Every structure is written in structure tokens, then in C-alpha cells.
Amino acid sequence: MIRLFKVKEKQRELAENANGGSPIKKQSAGELRLHKDISELNLPKSCSISFPNGKDDLMNFEVSIRPDEGYYLGGTFLFSFQVSPIYPHEAPKVKCKTKVYHPNIDLEGNVCLNILREDWKPVLNINTVIYGLYHLFTEPNYEDPLNHDAAAVLRDNPKMFESNVKRAMYGGYVGQTYFPRCM
């Protein structure tokens, strides 16, 4: 049996050398699933995806979200996605690269979205995550915050929260924290 595998391996090497090419990199199950997810994306018009490392690196990409309603209307927010080789059995790692005044996104870019943590299931996909991120901008949730100050203001004084969001998006200070322009 072992000899059979060696013969098959030798035949494959000879075929690769005959074609003059290097061996084809085998894709992991995670890469195959991600390729399928990306090919089936159905993004809202306000979202786009890009591959800063080129199309050969599907496991690392960026998503831009430009909400068309709510407090964050007109802003552009960039998220980086890092996908594990064992995807979909592990949720993608998502970070917000745009500094934003938001109850569910902290100042380091960590995102509080249940489907990226305890509610992740392998049946979910990249499309679901992007819609979840989009929903954070149309319906911020003060009940499960990462930025407790923003959550308290949203809960107690929505008009002040709206003013703080606009100040941050136009490039300015909210309290002691400076936010670069994202409009």
C-alpha cells in the first residue's frame, strides 16, 4: 500500500516537471468555502469589497461600508477581514480600520457583533457578517457595548449622541478623543 502512494507521488512529480510548472498549491477547505462565499456575495449598494494583497490572497480582504440611513449617513467605514484556514468552523476576525464613535466598536477597532463571537455557526457566511456590520450603523445597540461612554450617551440622550457622531465623522474631538474625518 505504501509503495502505491510512492508510485502515485512519483507520477505527479513527473507530470509537474513535464509541464514545466511548479506544483499547484492545494487550497484548504476554508479557502474553498470562502471562494464560494465571495462568488455568491449579494452586497447592498452601500458596501464594497477589495483585496489589498491581490486576488491570490482571498483570506485577507477589506469591506467598505457607507451607510445610507441613520446616525452614520454619509460616512465611510473600512473593515479588515482575516479568515482562518478552518473557516467556516471559526468566525472571521473583523476589525474596523476607521476610528469611529460607536457603542459597538471600540477605539482600537474591535467590533461587538454576536455572530462574530458566541452566535457564530458554520452555516453563516461573509455576506451575513457584512449585513451584520451594516446593521450596526443603521441600528447601534447600547445594550451590548464596547464603547461604554458612547452607549450611555445613546441610551440617555440620543440628540447628544447624534451630535457627537457628526462631530466625530467631520473630524473633531468627542471628549478627549480625536476622530479623523470619515465623510
Side-chain angles (χ1 to χ4, degrees):
M1 186 66 124
I2 294 173
R3 183 170 246 158
L4 178 63
F5 287 121
K6 288 202 182 274
V7 169
K8 288 274 190 198
E9 190 176 311
K10 191 70 169 166
Q11 287 174 340
R12 188 172 55 239
E13 283 178 24
L14 289 172
E16 288 168 359
N17 291 338
N19 293 336
S22 60
I24 297 170
K25 182 183 165 235
K26 188 172 180 180
Q27 288 187 314
S28 70
E31 288 173 308
L32 292 171
R33 167 64 191 273
L34 183 61
H35 190 276
K36 177 183 178 292
D37 283 2
I38 289 172
S39 70
E40 295 174 354
L41 276 178
N42 184 17
L43 298 178
K45 290 185 178 96
S46 57
C47 298
S48 63
I49 187 169
S50 64
F51 299 89
N53 302 332
K55 290 275 188 185
D56 290 337
D57 185 9
L58 286 183
M59 305 303 270
N60 297 287
F61 57 92
E62 295 177 343
V63 170
S64 176
I65 297 177
R66 188 172 175 85
D68 51 12
E69 61 179 281
Y71 295 114
Y72 298 91
L73 173 71
T76 301
F77 306 94
L78 189 64
F79 291 86
S80 65
F81 280 64
Q82 284 187 302
V83 183
S84 160
I86 61 169
Y87 173 80
H89 300 288
E90 182 178 284
K93 305 278 184 262
V94 178
K95 282 262 209 198
C96 186
K97 294 178 80 172
T98 307
K99 192 171 185 178
V100 59
Y101 179 78
H102 195 291
N104 309 110
I105 302 171
D106 69 16
L107 298 176
E108 286 77 47
N110 298 308
V111 179
C112 182
L113 185 62
N114 63 332
I115 60 171
L116 292 175
R117 298 175 310 168
E118 71 274 2
D119 290 341
W120 176 259
K121 293 173 180 47
V123 297
L124 299 176
N125 59 30
I126 297 301
N127 209 57
T128 309
V129 174
I130 294 171
Y131 270 93
L133 293 171
Y134 178 80
H135 186 70
L136 283 181
F137 288 102
T138 58
E139 297 288 329
N141 178 8
Y142 60 78
E143 293 177 0
D144 189 18
L146 279 180
N147 182 335
H148 294 278
D149 294 336
V153 174
L154 175 59
R155 181 187 65 236
D156 300 337
N157 190 345
K159 288 286 183 203
M160 166 90 85
F161 178 78
E162 183 175 13
S163 171
N164 287 347
V165 168
K166 293 295 179 211
R167 189 175 317 119
M169 286 174 42
Y170 279 105
Y173 283 89
V174 175
Q176 300 295 312
T177 306
Y178 177 75
F179 294 86
R181 184 179 176 87
C182 66
M183 296 290 286

